[in-house]
Each structure stands twice: as C-alpha cells, then as structure tokens.
Amino acid sequence: MSVTVTRALAGAVALTVATIGGPAGAAPSGGTAEAAPAEVIAEVGAQNQFATTSTCYGGSVRSFFQVAGWGGSAGPYRASTRCKDVNVRNASPFPVDACVVFVDKTSKCNYWTYLPAKSGWVVVATNVKDGVRFQVRFETQRYEYEALTSHHAF
C-alpha cells in the first residue's frame, strides 16, 4: 500500500474516532456514555468513503514483475472473509487483462477482465467462497519492458 493511501486511510480513521468519540459503550468509570448525535454520525459516514472499503482492501497484497513481458501469474492466494470477490488494481502504466484461476479445480481462467493503466479496483471474480485457493493471471496486449505492478484484495 502506498504511503499516500496509508496516510489518507489513517486520517479518515482519526477523523472518525475524533468526531464520534470512540467505541460505543466506552464510558469512564462511574459515569455514563454520551451518545454521539445522529447528525454527526451521518456527516462522518458521508465524508468517510473508506468505512466500507477499508475492511476489504486493507488486506491487499502487491505483486510485482520486473519486466511485464507478455504477463504472468501471481499467487496462489487463499480467499478470506474480508471480501466476497477478488479485486485487482493495476498500478502499471499500461493496460492488462486479468483473470482468476481456481487452482484446486482447474488450470483455466474464469474469464478475462480488462484493467486500464493505473486503474482503480476492479472485480475479477465474484462470490468467491472463503478459503478457496486461486491465482491471478495477467496478460499484456503487447510485450512490455516496464514493470507490472498490481494489488489484489480478496
């Protein structure tokens, strides 16, 4: 995860904790917990776009190929409870196609998904059961001498 993304995520979490005030029910001894006003919680929810995605993308893994060539495979990985899908983000300066291979069942791709250069998160496999082993396969559209860098969240 890049330093910029890490700092943005840390700032969003700090803003949420500072505004809401901490865990629910965490009252000082001898006192009562004061609930945060509903307007404040709604406002923080609207400002904090990381709230629903940080649990899935927070455990992302990076794969790196020194020379992208015609592509390659990353993994194997094991699907987790963080995400229901396999998500990939292409950090390379060129587009790639990506697919998922469920290695315990087959050596073939599920389907190819286009990932533009410097893409955001894109779903490459949906409704993946927890614990399933898989690889992410990449294919470039021409031979690339630059590095292929991607991030996977599952």
Side-chain angles (χ1 to χ4, degrees):
M1 188 180 294
S2 75
V3 174
T4 305
V5 173
T6 304
R7 286 181 183 159
L9 183 57
V13 170
L15 174 66
T16 303
V17 171
T19 305
I20 294 175
S29 60
T32 58
E34 182 177 313
E39 308 86 43
V40 172
I41 294 171
E43 182 180 331
V44 169
Q47 292 173 356
N48 184 7
Q49 299 301 315
F50 295 104
T52 57
T53 60
S54 64
T55 56
C56 180
Y57 302 140
S60 68
V61 220
R62 176 180 172 259
S63 65
F64 179 80
F65 301 89
Q66 186 69 35
V67 173
W70 291 106
S73 294
Y77 303 114
R78 191 171 293 276
S80 71
T81 57
R82 287 187 307 270
C83 304
K84 292 178 74 174
D85 305 323
V86 175
N87 304 274
V88 178
R89 184 172 65 88
N90 178 18
S92 304
F94 50 85
V96 297
D97 292 314
C99 72
V100 173
V101 177
F102 297 102
V103 295
D104 293 335
K105 300 286 184 186
T106 185
S107 61
K108 297 181 181 180
C109 284
N110 60 343
Y111 51 84
W112 288 99
T113 303
Y114 176 77
L115 302 172
K118 307 277 186 188
S119 72
W121 290 102
V122 177
V123 175
V124 294
T126 57
N127 296 322
V128 179
K129 291 183 180 180
D130 296 344
V132 171
R133 286 181 357 111
F134 66 92
Q135 289 182 320
V136 179
R137 188 173 291 164
F138 298 96
E139 187 174 276
T140 59
Q141 295 168 3
R142 63 178 189 270
Y143 192 88
E144 297 288 352
Y145 292 94
E146 295 182 57
L148 168 61
T149 305
S150 66
H151 301 268
H152 318 138
F154 44 89

